[in-house]
């Protein structure tokens, strides 16, 4: 479930993020969100903005991003292996979110990422 995951909005309210220099605050919120997700859900798989290695076909087919939006791995050509935001809406999301993105861009721009399948132990 996505509602229990720490969002970027939650992370921006953390003291350690609020105390970070303004020019580093967005990145710190991504890292803090990742750390909170790992702490609160140790049985799930999570990725930070620094995790640039694509988990590949054996990895998750869906991930939840920092805004709690769902991304699905594209299974067919021409964008096989790329990631697409489900429920993309041009009025609510930046244009980049409507494109098929490689893992590296997804992690860098939209982390923290969490396997949508759950897998709590």
């Amino acid at each position: 479930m996505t509602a229990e995951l720490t969002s970027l909005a939650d992370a921006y309210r953390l003291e350690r993020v609020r105390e970070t220099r303004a020019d580093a605050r967005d990145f710190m919120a991504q890292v803090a969100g990742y750390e909170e997700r790992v702490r609160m859900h140790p049985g799930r798989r999570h990725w930070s903005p620094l995790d640039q290695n694509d988990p590949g076909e054996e990895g998750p087919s869906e991930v939840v991003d920092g805004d709690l939006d769902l991304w699905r791995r594209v299974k067919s050509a021409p964008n096989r292996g790329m990631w697409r935001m489900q429920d993309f809406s041009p009025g609510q999301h930046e244009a980049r979110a409507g494109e098929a993105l490689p893992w590296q861009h997804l992690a860098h721009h939209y982390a923290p990422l969490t396997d949508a399948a759950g897998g709590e132990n």
Side-chain angles (χ1 to χ4, degrees):
M1 298 296 171
T2 61
E4 72 222 19
L5 292 173
T6 301
S7 70
L8 281 175
D10 299 327
Y12 278 106
R13 290 190 285 271
L14 296 171
E15 184 174 351
R16 68 182 185 234
V17 174
R18 289 193 325 261
E19 292 177 350
T20 301
R21 290 185 342 255
D23 64 341
R25 197 167 294 137
D26 291 341
F27 180 74
M28 183 61 180
Q30 287 181 293
V31 171
Y34 164 77
E35 290 170 348
E36 288 296 306
R37 286 183 181 192
V38 169
R39 183 180 65 78
M40 295 174 68
H41 305 282
R44 292 179 79 171
R45 294 188 302 171
H46 310 277
W47 295 268
S48 81
L50 300 175
D51 292 319
Q52 293 293 298
N53 291 327
D54 189 323
E57 295 295 324
E58 300 303 315
S61 60
E62 296 179 330
V63 294
V64 178
D65 74 9
D67 292 325
L68 306 181
D69 290 312
L70 184 68
W71 292 75
R72 185 169 293 142
R73 180 184 287 278
V74 178
K75 302 273 186 198
S76 58
N79 294 317
R80 182 180 175 89
M82 304 279 266
W83 293 83
R84 230 184 234 293
M85 180 188 279
Q86 301 304 294
D87 301 326
F88 170 75
S89 174
Q92 294 179 330
H93 302 100
E94 61 186 350
R96 175 180 40 221
E99 300 170 6
L101 300 177
W103 177 264
Q104 294 79 8
H105 291 169
L106 180 63
H108 177 78
H109 294 289
Y110 297 99
L113 304 174
T114 298
D115 188 342
E120 293 281 357
N121 292 337

